[in-house]
Amino acid sequence: MEIAVLTKGVPDFREGQVSFDEDGHLERGKTPTVMNPNDKFALRAALQTKVRHGGNVTLCSMGPPGYDNILEEGMRDVYADDLVLVSDREFAAADTWATAITLTTALEHMETEPDVVFAGFKTADGETGHTGPQTCWGLDRPILTHVISLDIEPENDVVRAKRLVEGDVDEIETVEAPLPCVVVTDPEFEPTYRRAEHRLELKDLREQTKARAENYEDHLTMWNHEELNLDPDFVGLDGSPTIVSSVDPIPKAPSEREATMVTPDDEEGMEQVLEEMTPFAGGD
């Protein structure tokens, strides 16, 4: 099977990692970039598919040249075979629509059409959840969203999946779609390897990927707008109908408790700490 996974680098939103300018705009150049957390569920679904059915996995991302480290991480996680980075200044400041157009073109530009395209639920920076479905629209394929488990019958060109109904963890439905299709995984997705042969295959793939990831550049293809025959008027900022008026910094969570500093030479303070902690120690 031919499998593709869409992934993205996002700012590291852990406290102390995010940098904003005086106008409250995110300074991406001063903020570390990590793989979008929700994309890791898509990677796991792709790996499960490769283990069960074999085939080739290609990771695809749009971003600056530095995103190759995100793809390297993805290669190690999903034991990918090939990496594709769509990178060009003309793609800068794209909204989800312009991004989807670019990714759709990249997927269509691949030597072999993917049977399944996996995408994460949403990104940690924009959180719109639009790119996967919009790319699916561009490919003119059926889509399965909020997928928490799936199985594929390549001989029948069918994907069967369990999905959350409107994201409700208490309501699950079983659906199917013909191949080729797009699958958007939910954070509740869990891969399964019940058969011994699948667990052995997983072990073999892990060993093979260690060597491949050491020289990931040899498996990386980069395309710009000219190589994809994309009109700059329809990608990047010029091709983005979305207008962002401002970005609000993530507020720091309020402290829910007060802390009192106690030093070893504070006898009264130490006695109070001992008195409060003794019941939890299970001592006399």
Side-chain angles (χ1 to χ4, degrees):
M1 294 189 65
E2 288 296 326
I3 306 160
V5 187
L6 305 182
T7 187
K8 181 186 180 183
V10 297
D12 187 347
F13 285 110
R14 289 177 297 180
E15 185 177 337
Q17 298 293 319
V18 186
S19 178
F20 293 93
D21 63 20
E22 58 184 12
D23 296 322
H25 298 145
L26 176 67
E27 294 184 304
R28 290 183 180 268
K30 297 182 179 180
T31 302
T33 301
V34 297
M35 177 183 289
N36 178 49
N38 279 317
D39 291 345
K40 295 186 177 182
F41 300 102
L43 296 178
R44 294 169 190 170
L47 177 56
Q48 175 188 285
T49 303
K50 179 175 181 177
V51 168
R52 291 185 181 182
H53 307 289
N56 190 82
V57 174
T58 300
L59 301 187
C60 183
S61 183
M62 186 188 85
Y67 268 30
D68 61 351
N69 68 311
I70 303 298
L71 291 173
E72 178 190 10
E73 178 186 350
M75 171 176 271
R76 294 180 184 275
D77 286 348
V78 77
Y79 312 156
D81 302 277
D82 299 299
L83 307 173
V84 170
L85 179 60
V86 185
S87 185
D88 194 313
R89 288 186 178 274
E90 297 292 348
F91 301 147
D95 66 359
T96 59
W97 179 251
T99 299
I101 289 176
T102 304
L103 291 175
T104 297
T105 306
L107 292 169
E108 293 176 334
H109 202 70
M110 292 180 183
E111 185 175 347
T112 305
E113 179 185 16
D115 297 295
V116 186
V117 176
F118 290 99
F121 171 49
K122 61 182 179 180
T123 58
D125 48 2
E127 292 204 348
T128 63
H130 289 170
T131 303
Q134 287 174 333
T135 302
C136 177
W137 181 88
L139 295 170
D140 192 23
R141 294 183 175 189
I143 187 171
L144 300 173
T145 61
H146 290 290
V147 171
I148 60 173
S149 68
L150 81 158
D151 195 15
I152 299 176
E153 296 180 6
E155 64 279 6
N156 297 322
D157 289 332
V158 171
V159 177
R160 289 188 175 86
K162 290 185 178 180
R163 65 179 299 273
L164 303 182
V165 178
E166 296 184 358
D168 186 348
V169 295
D170 295 324
E171 188 173 356
I172 299 173
E173 66 178 357
T174 300
V175 294
E176 67 176 50
L179 293 174
C181 69
V182 174
V183 173
V184 178
T185 52
D186 190 271
E188 295 292 323
F189 180 87
E190 288 291 342
T192 56
Y193 303 101
R194 297 189 179 93
R195 297 169 62 173
E197 62 179 300
H198 293 157
R199 294 192 292 273
L200 290 173
E201 177 67 13
L202 186 64
K203 180 180 178 181
D204 290 342
L205 289 174
R206 183 181 298 116
E207 293 303 317
Q208 295 170 18
T209 305
K210 285 182 180 179
R212 185 162 58 245
E214 291 298 326
N215 302 291
Y216 73 93
E217 298 96 340
D218 296 338
H219 308 276
L220 173 64
T221 298
M222 296 182 67
W223 288 323
N224 58 31
H225 80 280
E226 292 179 342
E227 291 166 318
L228 293 177
N229 195 29
L230 282 168
D231 188 333
D233 290 339
F234 294 95
V235 295
L237 181 61
D238 290 344
S240 300
T242 306
I243 298 175
V244 179
S245 60
S246 64
V247 177
D248 294 329
I250 299 175
K252 184 177 180 180
S255 176
E256 297 180 354
R257 59 183 180 181
E258 296 181 355
T260 300
M261 295 294 295
V262 178
T263 59
D265 57 355
D266 182 357
E267 293 185 7
E268 183 178 350
M270 292 299 292
E271 288 178 0
Q272 183 177 356
V273 171
L274 181 62
E275 182 180 347
E276 292 181 1
M277 297 300 295
T278 296
F280 298 101
D284 296 329

